Amino acid sequence: MKTKVFYCCLVLFFLGFQGYVDARLLVESKPDRDDTAAYARWLVSQNSWGILTTLSIELEGSPFGNVVSFSDGVPGKGTGVPYFYLTTLDPTARNALKDHRSSLAISEYPLGTCSNADPESPVCAKITLTGRLVLLEANSKEAEFARTALFTKHPEMKGWPKGHDFQVFKLEIEDIFMINWFGGPKPLTVDQYLKYKM
Amino acid sequence: MKTKVFYCCLVLFFLGFQGYVDARLLVESKPDRDDTAAYARWLVSQNSWGILTTLSIELEGSPFGNVVSFSDGVPGKGTGVPYFYLTTLDPTARNALKDHRSSLAISEYPLGTCSNADPESPVCAKITLTGRLVLLEANSKEAEFARTALFTKHPEMKGWPKGHDFQVFKLEIEDIFMINWFGGPKPLTVDQYLKYKM
């Protein structure tokens, strides 16, 4: 009995240790905070969900945030451009088709790499990409690329009901707001962000 | 040596087990999905951060989402009203003082109670509270209540720099959008939400 418990504990210990190692790898792959473009691209490619905001048709132009999944490429090959799989059954897609103005906000907090910092602390990074949320032509090469990017990070999407008519959208980034340390938002142009090689 | 490893593993096992129990308690305390008011209030009181969106002054009225911490009361005594601790050094507070229209979006995903569901799946709940983001009078009873609510959930806030002039804001809720299962957003009035007794 004692031996069984011992081996059971040993297995649990190694499972825990593996989780610890995984988290450490993520922390270690975190770019230097002064390498602004690298940090922004890391934050976007590591995260799989965020809040996509549009101007509400139903609520008289109020800003309407909505939880969405996204992908900027297959794992390890992020492009920095977030793609989404949305249906007009949901207000976000309807709003975007009327007024393209939109933003995507992402937090480092759920990645588990903020140590003990509060989610609002500047030490726990956050990024807001603001721009135009546009529908991609379903048969275009970019839509095909986006579907692969989305379905590899979100396998469940492939099975979402055909009748809901999910379509691929992308955020054409026009402005980047990122805080990843004390001292306010880091200067970063869209060009610097997009041209950074991972 | 073997005995030492055994006891070390035993401690790790119990620590892991405790974490498992904590997660189970959270799952078990999750209200029935058809009890809409209870679910919405649970989602807001269990979460400590979300994306607060305002209309950007700098980006020509674009919706601007920002990662923030919030609290709707001390743990176990949520009121449903989200309070924030913001500084006008950050665009969100500046935007809100010019145009109060705002929304707070929260996901169930970071709570770890969505099993294997994708963050965008309707099975993983999400809520968007839309309304007016207003500054509270610093010496008011409500601001005092809000500071206690915020500082108990976010102890780090107490030590944030005085010079940054953090102030208490609240979201006066006017509309609730919540999805916590298949079939689209659940009907829920602000009155039903606020009057629900936890």
Side-chain angles (χ1 to χ4, degrees):
Chain A
M1 177 60 193
K2 229 174 179 179
T3 324
K4 266 189 189 166
V5 173
F6 174 76
Y7 283 112
C8 172
C9 288
L10 216 61
V11 168
L12 285 166
F13 173 77
F14 281 115
L15 284 176
F17 185 70
Q18 195 189 3
Y20 172 77
V21 169
D22 287 351
R24 288 297 307 165
L25 281 175
L26 200 59
V27 177
E28 278 163 18
S29 71
K30 188 159 108 164
D32 185 280
R33 62 176 180 257
D34 293 325
D35 195 348
T36 313
Y39 208 106
R41 290 288 296 278
W42 173 81
L43 205 51
V44 171
S45 70
Q46 291 295 324
N47 264 290
S48 66
W49 66 281
I51 309 290
L52 185 60
T53 306
T54 49
L55 296 169
S56 172
I57 297 171
E58 290 162 30
L59 302 168
E60 296 164 10
S62 276
F64 179 79
N66 204 348
V67 178
V68 296
S69 292
F70 73 88
S71 174
D72 75 330
V74 297
K77 288 188 176 176
T79 61
V81 178
Y83 294 101
F84 310 90
Y85 203 46
L86 306 173
T87 160
T88 51
L89 291 174
D90 206 65
T92 299
R94 291 198 300 271
N95 294 340
L97 292 176
K98 182 162 183 269
D99 188 327
H100 293 301
R101 287 178 288 175
S102 178
S103 71
L104 174 67
I106 300 168
S107 169
E108 186 183 337
Y109 197 74
L111 297 181
T113 51
C114 288
S115 300
N116 295 322
D118 188 85
E120 195 176 311
S121 161
V123 169
C124 192
K126 53 181 175 176
I127 190 166
T128 306
L129 306 170
T130 307
R132 288 162 45 85
L133 184 60
V134 296
L135 175 65
L136 295 188
E137 172 58 52
N139 299 318
S140 65
K141 278 200 169 171
E142 190 174 9
E144 197 181 321
F145 171 86
R147 276 189 294 269
T148 306
L150 285 160
F151 297 168
T152 47
K153 284 194 179 170
H154 305 278
E156 192 191 293
M157 283 180 175
K158 266 192 226 175
W160 287 356
K162 296 284 173 222
H164 286 195
D165 195 24
F166 280 90
Q167 294 176 290
V168 179
F169 286 72
K170 82 162 166 177
L171 187 70
E172 290 177 350
I173 306 167
E174 293 174 345
D175 184 85
I176 300 169
F177 171 90
M178 183 178 78
I179 290 181
N180 71 343
W181 199 248
F182 304 104
K186 292 277 179 74
L188 177 62
T189 68
V190 177
D191 204 49
Q192 287 166 337
Y193 169 85
L194 290 176
K195 283 195 176 150
Y196 177 80
K197 296 277 172 235
M198 298 280 276
Chain B
M1 176 61 193
K2 228 174 178 179
T3 324
K4 266 189 189 165
V5 173
F6 173 77
Y7 283 112
C8 172
C9 289
L10 215 62
V11 167
L12 284 166
F13 172 77
F14 281 115
L15 284 175
F17 185 69
Q18 194 189 3
Y20 172 75
V21 170
D22 287 351
R24 287 297 307 163
L25 282 175
L26 200 59
V27 178
E28 280 164 17
S29 71
K30 188 160 108 163
D32 186 280
R33 62 176 179 258
D34 293 325
D35 194 349
T36 313
Y39 207 107
R41 290 287 298 276
W42 174 81
L43 206 52
V44 171
S45 70
Q46 291 295 323
N47 264 290
S48 66
W49 66 281
I51 309 288
L52 185 61
T53 305
T54 48
L55 296 168
S56 172
I57 297 171
E58 289 162 32
L59 302 167
E60 295 162 11
S62 276
F64 178 80
N66 203 349
V67 178
V68 296
S69 292
F70 72 88
S71 174
D72 76 329
V74 296
K77 288 189 176 174
T79 60
V81 178
Y83 295 100
F84 309 92
Y85 203 46
L86 307 172
T87 159
T88 51
L89 290 174
D90 206 64
T92 299
R94 291 198 300 270
N95 295 341
L97 292 177
K98 182 161 182 268
D99 189 325
H100 292 302
R101 285 178 290 175
S102 177
S103 72
L104 173 68
I106 301 168
S107 169
E108 185 182 337
Y109 197 75
L111 296 181
T113 52
C114 288
S115 300
N116 295 321
D118 188 85
E120 195 175 311
S121 161
V123 169
C124 193
K126 54 181 175 176
I127 191 167
T128 306
L129 307 170
T130 307
R132 289 162 44 86
L133 184 60
V134 295
L135 174 66
L136 295 188
E137 170 58 52
N139 300 319
S140 65
K141 278 200 170 171
E142 190 174 9
E144 197 180 322
F145 171 86
R147 275 190 294 269
T148 305
L150 285 159
F151 296 167
T152 48
K153 283 193 179 170
H154 304 279
E156 193 190 292
M157 283 180 175
K158 267 193 227 174
W160 286 357
K162 296 283 171 225
H164 286 195
D165 195 25
F166 279 91
Q167 293 175 291
V168 179
F169 286 74
K170 81 162 167 178
L171 187 69
E172 290 177 350
I173 307 167
E174 293 174 345
D175 185 84
I176 301 169
F177 171 90
M178 183 178 76
I179 291 182
N180 71 343
W181 199 247
F182 303 106
K186 291 279 179 72
L188 178 63
T189 67
V190 177
D191 204 46
Q192 287 165 338
Y193 169 85
L194 290 177
K195 283 195 177 150
Y196 177 80
K197 295 275 172 238
M198 300 279 277

